[in-house]
């Protein structure tokens, strides 16, 4: 679905949602009765200064998220189950819970809060990754890393949820890492601006060479 511009800014907005991801997963993975119920949780949006560009942008975002789902099915047999303390006993380098706190301590006092506190004794699933700067092997909570994740243990705690921030696709490994990092930085700056009520800095542009941007600048 693509929405046409409704104000002076000639920007088309697109929304994409798969009708049946379960069917596609069964077909591509060679399964017959697998039902993961992910159709309602994966959608994407795009934009562009023309209908064509908005459609291409929306399809690109949707494809990016759809491919990201396959990571769970590719590595789910390699996940390590246990607590942070369990991984330390196995001499595994894991991210400490203290640096991965997504909620306030008072949030857990509410009976209606659906998430669990992430502590050293909390049982979760861990996925192996690579430290961006040192290159060393490090384990990270799967539920926070994978864009799609389904728990397989009855006693596995729900410490948070994943987002698509930092999800990118590229033709090269280096390009994918670079785009992923810049997208995380972008989201982080936007969140900081919102949560701490910090006004963004005004950007002064001396000269606009792009004719489309120049036309838009005259409207404001």
């Amino acid at each position: 679905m693509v929405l046409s511009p409704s104000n002076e800014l000639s920007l088309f907005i697109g929304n994409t949602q798969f009708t049946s991801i379960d069917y596609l997963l069964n077909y591509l993975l060679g399964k017959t009765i697998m039902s993961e119920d992910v159709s309602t949780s994966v959608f994407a949006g795009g934009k562009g200064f023309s209908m064509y560009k908005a459609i291409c942008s929306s399809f690109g975002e949707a494809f990016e998220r759809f491919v990201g789902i396959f990571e769970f099915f590719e590595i789910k047999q390699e996940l390590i189950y246990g607590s942070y303390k369990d991984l330390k006993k196995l001499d595994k380098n894991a991210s400490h819970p203290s640096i991965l706190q997504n909620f306030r301590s008072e949030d857990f006092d509410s009976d209606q809060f659906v998430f669990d506190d992430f502590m050293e004794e909390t049982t979760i699933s861990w996925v192996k990754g690579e430290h961006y700067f040192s290159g060393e092997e490090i384990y990270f909570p799967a539920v926070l890393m994978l864009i799609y994740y389904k728990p397989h243990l009855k006693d596995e705690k729900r410490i948070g949820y994943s987002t698509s921030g930092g999800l990118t696709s590229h033709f090269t490994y280096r390009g994918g890492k670079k785009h992923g990092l810049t997208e995380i930085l972008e989201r982080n700056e936007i969140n900081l601006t919102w949560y701490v009520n910090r006004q963004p800095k005004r950007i002064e542009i001396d000269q606009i060479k792009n004719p489309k941007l120049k036309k838009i600048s005259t409207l404001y």
Side-chain angles (χ1 to χ4, degrees), residues 70-122:
F70 280 94
E71 184 70 12
F72 168 73
F73 299 101
E74 180 72 19
I75 66 173
K76 67 178 183 178
Q77 301 300 330
E78 303 174 9
L79 298 178
I80 294 182
Y81 302 96
S83 65
Y84 172 82
K85 288 185 175 181
D86 293 332
L87 266 66
K88 297 301 291 184
K89 293 178 181 178
L90 297 174
D91 199 27
K92 301 289 185 181
N93 183 28
S95 299
H96 195 273
S98 62
I99 65 173
L100 298 173
Q101 296 298 320
N102 298 310
F103 310 105
R104 304 171 302 171
S105 57
E106 53 265 32
D107 290 335
F108 301 103
D109 296 333
S110 173
D111 296 334
Q112 299 180 347
F113 196 65
V114 298
F115 295 99
D116 300 301
D117 196 3
F118 187 25
M119 300 178 291
E120 292 187 349
E121 302 82 8
T122 305

Side-chain angles (χ1 to χ4, degrees), residues 134-154:
S134 66
E136 64 180 340
E137 180 182 282
I138 187 169
Y139 283 83
F140 200 84
V143 68
L144 301 180
M145 176 63 71
L146 303 176
I147 187 174
Y148 171 75
Y149 175 73
K150 188 174 183 179
H152 286 271
L153 292 179
K154 292 182 178 180

Side-chain angles (χ1 to χ4, degrees), residues 8 10 208 210-220:
E8 294 87 353
S10 58
I208 302 178
N210 187 291
K212 290 185 177 181
L213 293 178
K214 189 173 183 179
K215 181 180 179 181
I216 294 175
S217 68
T218 61
L219 300 175
Y220 301 95

Side-chain angles (χ1 to χ4, degrees), residues 30-42:
K31 306 293 184 180
T32 57
I33 58 175
M34 183 181 69
S35 179
E36 298 292 343
D37 192 26
V38 297
S39 296
T40 58
S41 61
V42 178

Side-chain angles (χ1 to χ4, degrees), residues 157-175:
K157 301 301 181 181
R158 189 176 184 179
I159 62 171
Y161 56 93
S162 65
T163 69
S164 61
L167 174 67
T168 61
S169 57
H170 202 273
F171 296 108
T172 66
Y173 178 71
R174 181 181 178 86

